Amino acid sequence: QVQLVESGGGLVQAGGSLRLSCAVSGGIFSIKSMAWYRQAPGKQRELVAAITSGRTTNYADSVKGRFTISRDNAKKQVYLQMNSLKSEDTAVYYCNQVVAHGASWSPAANWGQGTQVTVSS
């Protein structure tokens, strides 16, 4: 079973930056599409960014131009560089394997513990 460990969250002022990391163990990482999700208090979990095995990327409209997803297959890690952070980016961030279904993505059943990102205004 794939295990996911997210890290890099913290408290940052609006306009600041953070880089999240996700270490993946188990499975064949290099052939998997991966994604970052986030869940704010009282809201549903939402897809933030996805990256395919061929490094094609997709972003939610709310983060386009500010966030960058990347991966290192040798290290079995996926990253999320977050710039120009806004208070509305405050959430717990999770990574997961995903499968494409047309224009949408479906995450795997198991999740990591997530990492908290808090942006103060």
Side-chain angles (χ1 to χ4, degrees):
Q1 187 174 359
V2 172
Q3 294 190 333
L4 308 154
V5 179
E6 300 92 344
S7 62
L11 174 63
V12 63
Q13 288 189 331
S17 298
L18 282 174
R19 188 190 191 216
L20 307 184
S21 299
C22 173
V24 182
S25 60
I28 305 175
F29 177 78
S30 61
I31 66 172
K32 299 292 187 180
S33 294
M34 298 294 299
W36 283 95
Y37 289 78
R38 67 186 180 187
Q39 187 167 20
K43 295 188 177 181
Q44 288 190 332
R45 193 171 295 180
E46 63 174 352
L47 179 73
V48 175
I51 185 167
T52 68
S53 58
R55 289 182 165 79
T56 298
T57 57
N58 296 101
Y59 296 92
D61 287 343
S62 59
V63 305
K64 279 181 182 176
R66 301 188 298 121
F67 290 11
T68 302
I69 188 171
S70 61
R71 64 190 296 160
D72 186 328
N73 288 343
K75 294 182 178 180
K76 296 180 111 176
Q77 298 220 358
V78 61
Y79 307 101
L80 187 68
Q81 178 66 44
M82 306 187 295
N83 298 327
S84 302
L85 282 161
K86 305 175 181 180
S87 57
E88 51 262 45
D89 296 319
T90 294
V92 179
Y93 284 71
Y94 304 86
C95 69
N96 207 342
Q97 303 175 89
V98 289
V99 175
H101 294 283
S104 62
W105 298 92
S106 295
N110 62 307
W111 295 85
Q113 84 288 349
T115 185
Q116 175 71 48
V117 171
T118 303
V119 183
S120 62
S121 55

